C-alpha cells in the first residue's frame, strides 16, 4: 500500500482512483482541482463550551485529543460521501438524455470530487499520520462494493430518474451537513464550507429542474417517480443520524458542528438530545415544499407525489428495522414485505423505464443550453 507523505502523493492516488472507477478525466480537461478556503464569516467560536474564544486555526490549538478525534471523524465522514457520490454516478456519463444534462452531470461529479479533495486536504494538512491514512482510505472504499461509511452512499444510482431524485434529496442532506459544519470552531473546516455550499446549490438545482422537466412531459408515470422518492428519502432521513445522539451532543458542546439555523443571537438549544431530530425536521419541511412545487406540474387527475413518512424504511434511529408503511402506519411483517414490493422500485419498473428511455422525449429539452 502506498504511504502518503505529502499532498502531492495524495493527488497521485486521486488520479489512480479516477481511473479505477472508470471516470474519463479527459471529459473535464481544464478543471482546476483545488482546495478553496474563504474568510470565516465569524472568527470566534459560535456556541458550546468554548463560545467566544478565537476559532482554532491549527489542530494543536484544539483543547483535547478527544475533540481532535471527533473533528477527524466529522471530516472523514464528509469526505467519504463526496467520493462515494461520484462512484454512484459514474455510469450515467454514457446515457445522458441531452448534452446539457451531460454537462450538468460532469459539473456535479467534478465538484463532488473537489469536495472530497478539500476534505482530504484538511486531513493531510492538519491531522498528521492518522489524517494521511484516512485521506488514503477515502480513495479505497467503494460505493459499488458497499464499503462506503453511510447507507445512502452504497445504494446504486441506476439511471437518470434515479440521479435527479438523488441530487434533489441526498445532495440536499449535504447542504444541511455543510451548513452545520460552516459554524465549526475548527477554522479551516468552517472556511471550507462556503465554496462547497455554493457548488452544492447547483447540484440541488440540477436535481429539481431534472424532475420538473420529467414531469412536464408526463411520459414517466408519477407512480414510478414516487417509488424513487420512497427509495431515497428514507436514506436521507438516516443521514441525519440517530435520535438522542451522544456524538451530536459532543460535537455541539465542543463547538465543532452547529445547528442548521445556528445564529449567535439565538437562544441555545432547548434539548441537546434532539439536535439530529431538529435538523431532520427542518429537512422534512423543506422537502414538503419541494414536493408541493413538483405537484403543481402534475395534472390534477393524475396521481400526486408525497413525502414518505419519517418512520418508513429506516435503518437508523428509533424507527430502524420496523414495519411501518410509507404513510407511517404499522404493518404486520407479511404486510410489510408485500408493501415494500409495492412501493419501492423493482425489476418491472426498471423495464418500463428502460422502454420509456429508449423511446426518448421523456424529459423536456433546455433552450440555449449545452
Ligand atoms: Fe458535495
Ligand atoms: Fe452535491
Amino acid at each position: 500500500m502506498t504511504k502518503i507523505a505529502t499532498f502531492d502523493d495524495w493527488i497521485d492516488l486521486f488520479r489512480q482512483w479516477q481511473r479505477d472507477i472508470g471516470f474519463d478525466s479527459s471529459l473535464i480537461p481544464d478543471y482546476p482541482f483545488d482546495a478553496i478556503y474563504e474568510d470565516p464569516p465569524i472568527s470566534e467560536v459560535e456556541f458550546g463550551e468554548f463560545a467566544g474564544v478565537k476559532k482554532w486555526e491549527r489542530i494543536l490549538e484544539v483543547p483535547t485529543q478527544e475533540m481532535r478525534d471527533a473533528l477527524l471523524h466529522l471530516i472523514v465522514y464528509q469526505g467519504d460521501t463526496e467520493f462515494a457520490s461520484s462512484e454512484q454516478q459514474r455510469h450515467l456519463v454514457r446515457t445522458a438524455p441531452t448534452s446539457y444534462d451531460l454537462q450538468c452531470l460532469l459539473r456535479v461529479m467534478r465538484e463532488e470530487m473537489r469536495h472530497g479533495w478539500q476534505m482530504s486536504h484538511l486531513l493531510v494538512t492538519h491531522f498528521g499520520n492518522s489524517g494521511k491514512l484516512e485521506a488514503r482510505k477515502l480513495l479505497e472504499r467503494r460505493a459499488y462494493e458497499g464499503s462506503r461509511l453511510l447507507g445512502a452512499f452504497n445504494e446504486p444510482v441506476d439511471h437518470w430518474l434515479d440521479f435527479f431524485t438523488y441530487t434533489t434529496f441526498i445532495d440536499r442532506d449535504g447542504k444541511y451537513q455543510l451548513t452545520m459544519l460552516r459554524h465549526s470552531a475548527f477554522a479551516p473546516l468552517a472556511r471550507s464550507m462556503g465554496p462547497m455550499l455554493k457548488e452544492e446549490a447547483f447540484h440541488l438545482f440540477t436535481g429539481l429542474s431534472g424532475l420538473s422537466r420529467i414531469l412536464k412531459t408526463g411520459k414517466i408515470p408519477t407512480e414510478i417517480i414516487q417509488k424513487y422518492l420512497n427509495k431515497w428519502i428514507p436514506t436521507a432521513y438516516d443521514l441525519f443520524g440517530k435520535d438522542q445522539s451522544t456524538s451530536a451532543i459532543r460535537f455541539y458542546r465542543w463547538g465543532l458542528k452547529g445547528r442548521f439555523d445556528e445564529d449567535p443571537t439565538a437562544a441555545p438549544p432547548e434539548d441537546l438530545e434532539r439536535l439530529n431530530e431538529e435538523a431532520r425536521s427542518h429537512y422534512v419541511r423543506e422537502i414538503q415544499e419541494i414536493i408541493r412545487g413538483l405537484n403543481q406540474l402534475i395534472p390534477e387527475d393524475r396521481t400526486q407525489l408525497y413525502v414518505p413518512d419519517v418512520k418508513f424504511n429506516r435503518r437508523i434511529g428509533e424507527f430502524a428495522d420496523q414495519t411501518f408503511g410509507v404513510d407511517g402506519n404499522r404493518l404486520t411483517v407479511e404486510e410489510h414485505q408485500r408493501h415494500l414490493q409495492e412501493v419501492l422500485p423493482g425489476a418491472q419498473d426498471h423495464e418500463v423505464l428502460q422502454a420509456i428511455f429508449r423511446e426518448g422525449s421523456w424529459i423536456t429539452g433546455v433552450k440555449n443550453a449545452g
Side-chain angles (χ1 to χ4, degrees):
M1 260 185 255
T2 339
K3 220 174 165 217
I4 297 174
T6 65
F7 195 63
D8 280 340
D9 295 341
W10 181 87
I11 293 175
D12 290 341
L13 292 183
F14 170 77
R15 302 287 176 203
Q16 274 177 39
W17 168 81
Q18 282 186 321
R19 282 192 294 277
D20 187 61
I21 69 162
F23 181 77
D24 178 1
S25 56
S26 72
L27 290 168
I28 48 167
D30 302 318
Y31 184 67
F33 281 105
D34 209 355
I36 309 173
Y37 297 94
E38 63 169 5
D39 287 338
I42 298 170
S43 51
E44 283 87 40
V45 178
E46 297 170 48
F47 52 88
E49 291 165 11
F50 301 93
V53 311
K54 206 170 155 301
K55 285 193 179 183
W56 308 305
E57 280 294 338
R58 293 173 341 108
I59 196 69
L60 287 176
E61 296 168 13
V62 177
T64 69
Q65 186 58 39
E66 254 189 318
M67 290 172 64
R68 289 173 217 141
D69 292 344
L71 260 176
L72 179 84
H73 172 99
L74 284 169
I75 296 167
V76 165
Y77 271 72
Q78 189 56 46
D80 195 74
T81 70
E82 310 289 359
F83 291 119
S85 61
S86 297
E87 290 163 3
Q88 289 169 298
Q89 294 162 4
R90 72 202 198 288
H91 287 310
L92 301 168
V93 171
R94 295 196 292 269
T95 54
T98 69
S99 60
Y100 166 80
D101 290 294
L102 177 60
Q103 291 315 311
C104 289
L105 170 69
L106 290 173
R107 178 167 163 190
V108 169
M109 289 183 78
R110 74 192 185 212
E111 289 173 350
E112 301 302 14
M113 290 180 199
R114 194 196 76 72
H115 296 174
W117 178 294
Q118 180 90 24
M119 294 300 100
S120 302
H121 191 258
L122 286 172
L123 291 170
V124 172
T125 313
H126 295 280
F127 289 84
N129 283 336
S130 49
K132 288 171 183 162
L133 176 68
E134 291 299 338
R136 195 187 75 200
K137 281 165 46 181
L138 288 183
L139 298 170
E140 290 175 347
R141 289 184 284 267
R142 290 288 180 275
Y144 46 87
E145 290 167 3
S147 54
R148 287 295 171 185
L149 298 176
L150 298 165
F153 296 92
N154 289 316
E155 293 288 328
V157 176
D158 288 325
H159 43 63
W160 278 77
L161 168 60
D162 224 5
F163 170 68
F164 291 132
T165 315
Y166 180 97
T167 35
T168 302
F169 296 102
I170 302 299
D171 286 67
R172 194 171 305 277
D173 166 79
K175 176 182 92 169
Y176 277 70
Q177 303 302 331
L178 301 182
T179 304
M180 295 188 275
L181 292 174
R182 194 179 198 180
H183 300 288
S184 184
F186 186 53
L189 178 60
R191 293 198 280 119
S192 297
M193 292 302 137
M196 286 170 71
L197 275 162
K198 263 188 219 130
E199 290 163 335
E200 210 53 54
F202 176 75
H203 310 174
L204 301 179
F205 162 80
T206 299
L208 189 54
S209 60
L211 290 179
S212 306
R213 288 161 55 217
I214 287 176
L215 288 172
K216 280 182 196 153
T217 71
K219 289 271 167 68
I220 299 181
T222 38
E223 289 81 357
I224 291 187
I225 298 174
Q226 181 65 49
K227 291 184 184 185
Y228 286 88
L229 305 188
N230 297 344
K231 169 183 173 181
W232 287 112
I233 292 174
T235 71
Y237 292 155
D238 279 344
L239 291 176
F240 285 91
K242 287 202 192 91
D243 318 292
Q244 287 135 32
S245 160
T246 50
S247 44
I249 297 174
R250 287 185 304 148
F251 297 153
Y252 192 86
R253 287 198 4 230
W254 292 339
L256 305 180
K257 184 177 178 183
R259 287 171 289 176
F260 179 65
D261 54 354
E262 195 61 55
D263 168 356
T265 62
E270 270 171 33
D271 189 353
L272 279 175
E273 305 241 309
R274 298 192 64 254
L275 285 170
N276 285 342
E277 279 167 87
E278 220 180 275
R280 190 183 299 112
S281 57
H282 279 288
Y283 173 87
V284 172
R285 280 197 290 279
E286 185 169 322
I287 66 171
Q288 277 165 344
E289 277 309 307
I290 296 282
I291 299 293
R292 206 165 304 161
L294 289 174
N295 277 335
Q296 310 278 307
L297 302 168
I298 302 172
E300 266 176 36
D301 57 340
R302 284 229 184 152
T303 313
Q304 303 280 300
L305 299 170
Y306 58 85
V307 176
D309 191 90
V310 81
K311 298 193 279 305
F312 172 67
N313 212 23
R314 297 290 303 281
R315 298 277 178 267
I316 278 179
E318 59 174 312
F319 305 117
D321 306 314
Q322 297 189 38
T323 58
F324 292 104
V326 272
D327 57 2
N329 284 332
R330 196 186 273 284
L331 305 168
T332 67
V333 175
E334 295 78 44
E335 284 167 344
H336 185 244
Q337 292 279 316
R338 230 175 306 130
H339 182 69
L340 290 181
Q341 308 240 316
E342 283 163 13
V343 299
L344 292 174
Q348 216 181 340
D349 302 302
H350 216 261
E351 265 168 47
V352 173
L353 281 175
Q354 290 309 324
I356 296 172
F357 293 150
R358 271 195 302 276
E359 235 172 67
S361 64
W362 52 274
I363 184 162
T364 62
V366 176
K367 283 195 195 88
N368 303 320

